[in-house]
Amino acid sequence: MRNRAASNPQSAIRNPPLIDPAALMKIKSMELRAKAVVEGFWKGIHRSPYHGFSVEFTEYRQYAFGDDPRYIDWRVYARSDRFYIKKFEDETNLRCHLLIDHSRSMGYTSGDYSKAQYAGTLAATLAYFLFTQGDAVGLATFDDQIREYMPPRNRASYLRRLILALEAQPKGSATNLGPPLQRLAQMQTKRGMIVLVSDLLTSIDRLERDLGYLCAGGHDVVVFHILDPAEVSFDFDKPALFQDVETGRDLYVDPAAAQKGYQHLLDGHLAKTRSVCQSLGIDYHLFATDRPFDLALLDFLQHRMRSRKRVRRVHGPGAGPGAGGRAV
Amino acid sequence: MSLLYPLFLAGIAAAAAPILLHMIRRHTRQRVTFSSLMFLRPTMPRFRSRSRLEHVLLLIVRCSVLCLLAFAFARPFLARPAATGAADSSKRIVLLIDTSASMRRSGLWTRALDEAQSVLKETGPADRVCVMSFDQGTRTLIGFDQWQTMAPAQRAAIASQEISKLSPGWSSTDLGHALVTAADALEDDEANDGAQSRAQCRIVLIGDLQQGSKLDALLAYEWPQRTELVVKAIPCRGVTNASLQLLANRDSLGPARSDDSPDIRITNSPDATNDHFQLHWADSAQPGAAVDVYVAAGHSTVVHAPAEPNQQTSARLVLTGDDQDFDNTLYVMPQLRRQVNILYLGRDDPNDTAGMLYYLRQAFGTGKALTSRIVRHPGSEVLDAADIVTAHLIVVTDNVNQQNITALRRYLESGKPLLFAMRSAEAADALSGLAGVDTIDAQEAEVSRYAMLGRLEFDHPLLKPFSDPRFGDFTRIHFWKHRRVDTASCPGARVLARFDNGDPAWFEVPVGRGTLLVWTSGWQPSDSDLALSSKFVPLLYGTLEYGGTLTEHPSQYFVGDAVPITGRIPAGTTDIQVRKPDGVTVRMDGNQQTFTQTDLPGIYSISDSTRDTDPQFFAVNLPAAESRTDPMPVEDLEKRDVPLTPTAAVVSEVAQRAARHNSFTEMESQQKLWRWVLVATLILLLIETWLGGWLGTPQRETERLGTPLTRPGPAPEREPI
């Protein structure tokens, strides 16, 4: 049985522990970094969205043609002369996939650590958090295709393997979410949570289509949009030849003349991304790499809580998850 | 200071490039790696003002490097007066005038003389001139030394007078030999005359430059570098030229035909405009008996000459219908049939196939060139002296009485051949008599089945035609019987063939000037099947030829050929007369082997003035190559490394310029100032490298720009935990 003692993130929201990410990134061990962030948060409880046949009984349902006769409760039949099917609650833990973008653009940095390092630490934090709750966590790194895939497990030693995979430097080429997300959606037969950590430097049209692969599978999708502070503010002061790390293309840019246009295009891109995620029912979080991980985790938990409340409001407190509700 | 190649100074213009590059400040070379350019738009580079130069010293050094490089390529040198003075303007000229038969074409010779005289008029008093004419050979009319001995004012006139005496002959054109001779003459004169050793050497060729000119001599000749050729080709107005050529009749021994008219090849020139010609005999009694011939331009055809009623005399074939008639006459000597008298001493019936005479008559049939007369006579009866004297070959197959032996020995000693075929061992007595020895041992050989020829001396003239492996197979000839003769008893005997058991089969014994050929086996079927083999007839004709009876004398020659005299007239003749077609008689003594004055086409006759004998005739015709009158491209001469010069005026100007350039090149190659300029360039390049590196150091760049190019970086990295 899982510990159903509900964590109370409200206390954390009231007193958020703020750790400077620059200082945190000085810790060489990613596992320690994740542990430092997660410390203070209680283990969460996740109700499974699946119904199974474990020992915990949920309800009886009248037999209908086509049901498996193995699950007919013969005692009830003896008592009532009616066929009833005995239903149980599936106690399978949350299956969470962490999708980490390892395209070349994730290696960009204007400071001490790159977007990939920040994304790795964030993913490690989430993995550690979920592992402490007994949830199964898997990992997929990708650029234009899935480079490494680790299926969801919740063994203690599995976290170390995950963190080792997260510490790998991005070696991919251009960001292309389509093939890896489509492939991952095909691989997942059970619904679960998918956490996408990427800089989403791809066209909006493709982004909507690519994220749609995951949503179509009924997965609970969370997107962490990671940007470097220099990408957000574009505060260069001298003209230079800007080289695209993914395509190698050179472009002479005078920041003084180009900054306004850059901000305009970036804001439009972010707004469209947020709009796309909203339309698909995806939790969207934009993070600059100088933002503390605590706040990121807090935002994540707050959003999950809101989401659970919304589900319960829709289905009522007595509504089972078998009706399609999602819970954290 | 002068420059050998001043055009390279244009390279100094390249010095403007560094100036422009210095004036234009390129946009920053700072390269910033960014995650994505999808939100960036290109901006126009900002250029610094063009009015201010930076790094003036570096600019000067770079410009100087380019200027020095251009200067070095211009090959500077210090001009000095030439040691030998100015370029020698005197010339050394060989005037080559074509006098071949093709120059007989209408109007060519007159224009050639005009050209020659104009060349002579252009000569200066310091020039050295040699005048040569050529056709098949080359003749010097006026040599360099003779030219120098003449008064300068009269040289051209005397040379013109000499040239006017020339006229085109009938010989072919050996242009290559003439050019080589002229070039050699120039070199010889240059070597002999030290004063004008640097004078310009030139050959002026005046001729029709026809396609039939021989250039073979140029192939193995290395043309002198300073000798140039000026071609003054005389074009011909009429272009259609057809020629005649007599084809050799290879079947002289074949059967006689009723019509023995010769075959004639008629060739039309490639640039011909007419293709219809007529072929007929000159002075023919039947004027209408002409053959129409159609030959396309550049092609040839073979026609049968029209029948000539009187074929026993020499005749002329004439071709009409083309523009040029110098090669339209062909002199033909009729092929006279010779009579060969053969005296056969034996008792065979001529129609008896078991005898030897039957096969002898079959072998000596009547051919186109030969008529045989075989006289049979028993050996035991006294021979007629006339038969012996007129006999070209005597064949003995019977016993001969002593009186006849004496006559036959005289016959042999006169130098004629005698073939002795031993029918039996008893014939050894007659053989010993003919050989002039007391006795010759002979006996019938014991042959198990048959004997074959085992060893033949193919180096002997009689067997030499069989030396080719294709014809030397005698193994199919079987000898059923033969006689074993001891050749050791015959002084001077040479065995020509032996049987496979070692017995002599054929041997010869010299008797006086003649040769006694002995066959130890007959050719009748009872002795051997030699008569049935393919070797029999050639052996008999070879015997005739070996004895000097069948020696053929060609009757067709070309102009310039050497005609052998030996054999045409009786030996020992001391006064030989050769009558040329123009009626001129040339006397020759007995020591001369050949007649070389065949300079006219026509019928020549050779006779012995001391005896009343029939003269021998031979025909001389124009060489076939001389009829190829289409113009030869002058590029054919250039292909043989002969430098051509179009006109004399251009030659002079170009030559002077070339001589001046050569002297400058020589001075420049001695001074080699470009090396020092290159050294200075390298030094400047080193300075430029050092200066560029010093000016490009970060400190200097920061001082110059004032602020760094990149955005403010983060705090210095600390050691990770």
Side-chain angles (χ1 to χ4, degrees):
Chain A
M1 286 294 289
R2 294 179 56 188
N3 183 9
R4 284 183 169 272
S7 63
N8 186 9
Q10 294 296 329
S11 59
I13 295 170
R14 282 192 293 271
N15 300 300
L18 296 178
I19 304 175
D20 180 18
L24 184 69
M25 294 303 285
K26 300 296 181 187
I27 301 174
K28 198 171 182 180
S29 167
M30 185 178 284
E31 188 175 357
L32 286 179
R33 291 202 297 261
K35 190 174 181 180
V37 175
V38 175
E39 194 172 334
F41 286 90
W42 292 358
K43 294 179 181 178
I45 300 173
H46 304 269
R47 290 177 59 192
S48 172
Y50 303 102
H51 289 278
F53 292 90
S54 60
V55 294
E56 189 170 356
F57 166 77
T58 56
E59 61 180 347
Y60 283 110
R61 181 172 61 80
Q62 190 152 6
Y63 174 78
F65 182 76
D67 286 342
D68 193 342
R70 288 183 302 174
Y71 303 115
I72 295 176
D73 193 334
W74 298 109
R75 291 180 181 175
V76 175
Y77 171 72
R79 290 197 301 266
S80 64
D81 199 17
R82 298 288 187 275
F83 292 110
Y84 281 93
I85 297 293
K86 195 174 184 180
K87 303 189 70 177
F88 302 88
E89 184 171 336
D90 188 0
E91 288 186 322
T92 306
N93 297 327
L94 173 70
R95 297 164 57 84
C96 178
H97 280 90
L98 300 174
L99 265 63
I100 311 301
D101 184 0
H102 269 193
S103 65
R104 200 168 292 174
S105 63
M106 287 292 286
Y108 173 71
T109 176
S110 61
D112 292 341
Y113 50 91
S114 64
K115 290 189 285 183
Q117 288 172 308
Y118 186 88
T121 303
L122 177 60
T125 301
L126 293 176
Y128 187 87
F129 177 76
L130 293 172
F131 261 100
T132 55
Q133 296 185 117
D135 296 328
V137 180
L139 175 68
T141 59
F142 68 94
D143 40 67
D144 53 352
Q145 57 182 323
I146 293 178
R147 295 296 176 186
E148 186 165 5
Y149 176 73
M150 298 174 67
R153 300 279 189 274
N154 62 353
R155 294 194 303 271
S157 61
Y158 202 62
L159 176 63
R160 190 173 302 277
R161 286 181 57 191
L162 282 180
I163 289 175
L164 282 176
L166 286 170
E167 284 178 338
Q169 292 298 316
K171 296 176 181 175
S173 56
T175 305
N176 188 4
L177 296 175
L181 295 190
Q182 189 176 8
R183 176 69 182 144
L184 195 71
Q186 292 170 351
M187 292 164 62
Q188 301 307 312
T189 57
K190 289 184 177 181
R191 286 182 295 173
M193 177 184 289
I194 294 178
V195 178
L196 173 64
V197 184
S198 170
D199 54 6
L200 299 181
L201 291 177
T202 181
S203 70
I204 289 296
D205 298 335
R206 288 197 304 177
L207 182 66
E208 183 173 9
R209 184 196 60 194
D210 299 340
L211 291 176
Y213 291 134
L214 297 179
C215 297
H219 300 287
D220 196 2
V221 183
V222 181
V223 172
F224 288 97
H225 191 173
I226 309 297
L227 289 178
D228 191 87
E231 292 173 333
V232 176
S233 59
F234 199 70
D235 53 351
F236 297 91
D237 55 352
K238 294 292 181 188
L241 274 176
F242 281 73
Q243 186 181 37
D244 194 318
V245 292
E246 292 188 349
T247 63
R249 187 166 67 96
D250 285 336
L251 193 68
Y252 177 80
V253 174
D254 186 355
Q259 189 172 24
K260 193 174 180 181
Y262 178 87
Q263 289 293 350
H264 177 71
L265 291 175
L266 179 64
D267 292 344
H269 180 77
L270 294 178
K272 288 179 182 175
T273 304
R274 187 174 289 110
S275 170
V276 165
C277 291
Q278 193 171 4
S279 66
L280 292 173
I282 296 174
D283 291 344
Y284 173 79
H285 305 281
L286 174 64
F287 291 107
T289 56
D290 55 354
R291 195 174 186 200
F293 292 99
D294 311 66
L295 293 179
L297 187 57
L298 189 60
D299 287 349
F300 171 68
L301 289 176
Q302 281 180 333
H303 190 88
R304 304 311 302 173
M305 287 179 65
R306 283 198 300 271
S307 174
R308 191 174 65 171
K309 286 177 180 175
R310 185 172 64 246
V311 169
R312 285 185 174 174
R313 214 169 27 246
V314 170
H315 299 285
R326 303 176 190 178
V328 175
Chain B
M1 178 168 290
S2 302
L3 299 172
L4 193 60
Y5 303 112
L7 276 180
F8 276 103
L9 286 183
I12 292 178
I19 297 174
L20 292 176
L21 291 176
H22 276 248
M23 291 182 72
I24 299 174
R25 178 174 181 264
R26 290 168 295 175
H27 62 76
T28 179
R29 285 173 293 180
Q30 181 81 23
R31 193 179 293 272
V32 175
T33 303
F34 199 59
S35 57
S36 175
L37 302 182
M38 61 187 295
F39 307 122
L40 288 172
R41 295 292 177 264
T43 52
M44 291 300 293
R46 289 178 296 174
F47 293 100
R48 184 169 289 189
S49 168
R50 293 167 179 261
S51 60
R52 189 166 65 87
L53 286 174
E54 295 179 352
H55 308 312
V56 178
L57 187 58
L58 190 61
L59 173 66
I60 292 173
V61 171
R62 287 174 177 170
C63 291
S64 304
V65 166
L66 290 175
C67 292
L68 281 177
L69 269 181
F71 189 58
F73 274 99
R75 308 283 285 274
F77 65 97
L78 299 171
R80 293 194 301 258
T84 56
D88 199 342
S89 61
S90 63
K91 297 184 287 291
R92 204 183 304 272
I93 301 173
V94 173
L95 184 60
L96 264 180
I97 303 171
D98 185 2
T99 58
S100 64
S102 60
M103 292 296 288
R104 289 178 169 271
R105 289 180 288 171
S106 58
L108 280 189
W109 183 245
T110 309
R111 279 182 282 161
L113 289 181
D114 294 343
E115 284 285 352
Q117 286 170 359
S118 67
V119 170
L120 288 173
K121 284 177 185 173
E122 291 173 2
T123 56
D127 294 341
R128 293 171 66 86
V129 177
C130 173
V131 181
M132 292 182 174
S133 67
F134 73 98
D135 41 30
Q136 195 168 2
T138 307
R139 294 162 295 279
T140 302
L141 300 179
I142 298 174
F144 285 112
D145 295 336
Q146 188 181 353
W147 177 271
Q148 285 301 106
T149 57
M150 291 188 276
Q154 297 177 350
R155 286 171 179 168
I158 295 173
S160 297
Q161 191 177 356
E162 288 292 325
I163 291 172
S164 62
K165 295 177 184 174
L166 285 173
S167 63
W170 292 98
S171 297
S172 58
T173 311
D174 194 348
L175 179 57
H177 179 261
L179 289 174
V180 169
T181 306
D184 286 343
L186 282 171
E187 283 194 319
D188 292 344
D189 186 59
E190 196 174 22
N192 296 333
D193 180 26
Q196 291 189 348
S197 60
R198 297 190 63 81
Q200 179 189 351
C201 295
R202 185 191 307 168
I203 298 172
V204 180
L205 171 66
I206 299 174
D208 55 354
L209 214 65
Q210 59 167 137
Q211 191 72 45
S213 304
K214 283 175 63 179
L215 297 174
D216 301 345
L218 288 174
L219 291 176
Y221 185 72
E222 186 178 356
W223 191 262
Q225 280 189 343
R226 294 181 57 246
T227 302
E228 56 195 16
L229 175 66
V230 180
V231 177
K232 292 183 179 295
I234 313 293
C236 184
R237 293 192 179 89
V239 290
T240 302
N241 181 34
S243 61
L244 295 163
Q245 187 182 0
L246 177 68
L247 295 185
N249 189 1
R250 298 179 179 177
D251 195 18
S252 60
L253 294 180
R257 294 188 308 186
S258 58
D259 179 14
D260 282 342
S261 299
D263 292 332
I264 309 295
R265 174 183 288 131
I266 298 175
T267 307
N268 199 0
S269 57
D271 50 356
T273 57
N274 186 19
D275 60 355
H276 181 206
F277 311 103
Q278 288 87 31
L279 181 66
H280 61 87
W281 293 100
D283 308 326
S284 173
Q286 300 172 347
V291 175
D292 287 327
V293 184
Y294 292 89
V295 186
H299 290 73
S300 64
T301 186
V302 176
V303 298
H304 205 54
E308 169 63 18
N310 184 14
Q311 293 186 7
Q312 297 302 315
T313 61
S314 59
R316 287 189 299 142
L317 265 174
V318 178
L319 185 75
T320 56
D322 63 343
D323 297 333
Q324 312 297 338
D325 57 355
F326 75 100
D327 56 349
N328 285 2
T329 303
L330 180 69
Y331 295 90
V332 181
M333 281 298 300
Q335 193 169 23
L336 300 178
R337 189 174 296 163
R338 299 191 58 191
Q339 179 173 318
V340 177
N341 299 323
I342 298 171
L343 178 59
Y344 182 82
L345 298 183
R347 289 167 295 183
D348 296 341
D349 184 355
N351 298 319
D352 182 12
T353 57
M356 285 193 275
L357 179 58
Y358 173 80
Y359 299 100
L360 193 71
R361 289 184 62 193
Q362 296 297 322
F364 288 110
T366 299
K368 282 193 293 186
L370 201 68
T371 302
S372 61
R373 187 175 72 91
I374 299 177
V375 177
R376 183 174 68 95
H377 200 283
S380 57
E381 298 179 6
V382 178
L383 288 169
D384 188 359
D387 291 339
I388 295 179
V389 170
T390 59
H392 294 98
L393 174 68
I394 295 178
V395 179
V396 179
T397 63
D398 195 6
N399 285 327
V400 186
N401 60 27
Q402 190 59 41
Q403 189 177 359
N404 287 343
I405 286 177
T406 306
L408 291 176
R409 275 191 63 85
R410 281 200 299 271
Y411 165 83
L412 279 169
E413 287 167 353
S414 68
K416 292 181 178 177
L418 188 146
L419 176 60
F420 190 89
M422 298 180 70
R423 192 187 289 267
S424 63
E426 289 74 23
D429 297 336
L431 177 61
S432 60
L434 289 172
V437 296
D438 295 337
T439 57
I440 293 178
D441 293 336
Q443 53 188 343
E444 195 70 26
E446 295 179 359
V447 179
S448 61
R449 288 181 60 196
Y450 57 84
M452 292 191 300
L453 294 178
R455 174 171 180 164
L456 294 104
E457 301 293 334
F458 286 116
D459 56 345
H460 190 272
L462 185 60
L463 298 178
K464 203 172 184 63
F466 303 103
S467 60
D468 193 309
R470 293 176 296 173
F471 314 122
D473 182 14
F474 283 80
T475 57
R476 294 184 181 179
I477 306 173
H478 296 166
F479 293 87
W480 321 115
K481 296 177 185 174
H482 70 270
R483 284 89 232 166
R484 181 172 295 154
V485 179
D486 182 16
T487 55
S489 55
C490 299
R494 179 186 177 187
V495 178
L496 309 183
R498 290 182 183 274
F499 292 110
D500 48 0
N501 58 4
D503 293 342
W506 304 330
F507 64 93
E508 67 172 358
V509 181
V511 179
R513 291 192 293 139
T515 303
L516 172 62
L517 282 168
V518 182
W519 292 9
T520 60
S521 174
W523 55 82
Q524 75 276 21
S526 59
D527 266 15
S528 70
D529 53 6
L530 173 63
L532 303 178
S533 75
S534 59
K535 308 291 188 294
F536 182 60
V537 176
L539 275 173
L540 290 180
Y541 276 88
T543 306
L544 273 178
E545 196 169 340
Y546 182 49
T549 305
L550 271 188
T551 305
E552 285 203 24
H553 301 290
S555 58
Q556 298 291 142
Y557 292 92
F558 294 114
V559 174
D561 285 353
V563 179
I565 301 298
T566 310
R568 289 181 180 272
I569 55 174
T573 305
T574 55
D575 189 7
I576 303 170
Q577 287 186 349
V578 180
R579 186 177 178 83
K580 295 171 65 175
D582 56 355
V584 175
T585 302
V586 180
R587 288 185 177 276
M588 302 174 64
D589 56 19
N591 297 327
Q592 289 179 293
Q593 303 285 324
T594 55
F595 174 71
T596 57
Q597 300 179 37
T598 52
D599 50 0
L600 289 174
I603 305 296
Y604 290 67
S605 64
I606 305 174
S607 59
D608 184 1
S609 60
T610 59
R611 302 178 189 177
D612 187 15
T613 56
D614 293 336
Q616 296 280 325
F617 294 96
F618 62 91
V620 174
N621 285 297
L622 201 62
E626 197 60 19
S627 297
R628 297 172 58 199
T629 52
D630 49 304
M632 176 179 69
V634 290
E635 289 78 11
D636 287 1
L637 292 171
E638 287 182 317
K639 287 177 189 172
R640 289 160 175 82
D641 296 334
V642 178
L644 290 179
T645 309
T647 61
V650 176
V651 167
S652 176
E653 187 180 347
V654 171
Q656 286 180 5
R657 207 159 45 213
R660 195 163 52 246
H661 184 77
N662 286 340
S663 67
F664 287 165
T665 305
E666 194 173 345
M667 275 189 276
E668 195 276 338
S669 63
Q670 289 172 354
Q671 297 171 6
K672 287 190 171 60
L673 292 183
W674 60 272
R675 291 185 175 181
W676 296 106
V677 179
L678 272 189
V679 169
T681 306
L682 288 175
I683 292 171
L684 279 181
L685 276 177
L686 289 175
I687 293 172
E688 190 271 344
T689 305
W690 173 80
L691 198 57
W694 181 68
L695 291 174
T697 52
Q699 292 82 1
R700 292 282 306 166
E701 194 72 15
T702 305
E703 288 171 12
R704 188 174 64 83
L705 297 176
T707 53
L709 284 174
T710 56
R711 69 188 282 270
E717 188 177 357
R718 287 180 294 177
E719 196 66 25
I721 297 171

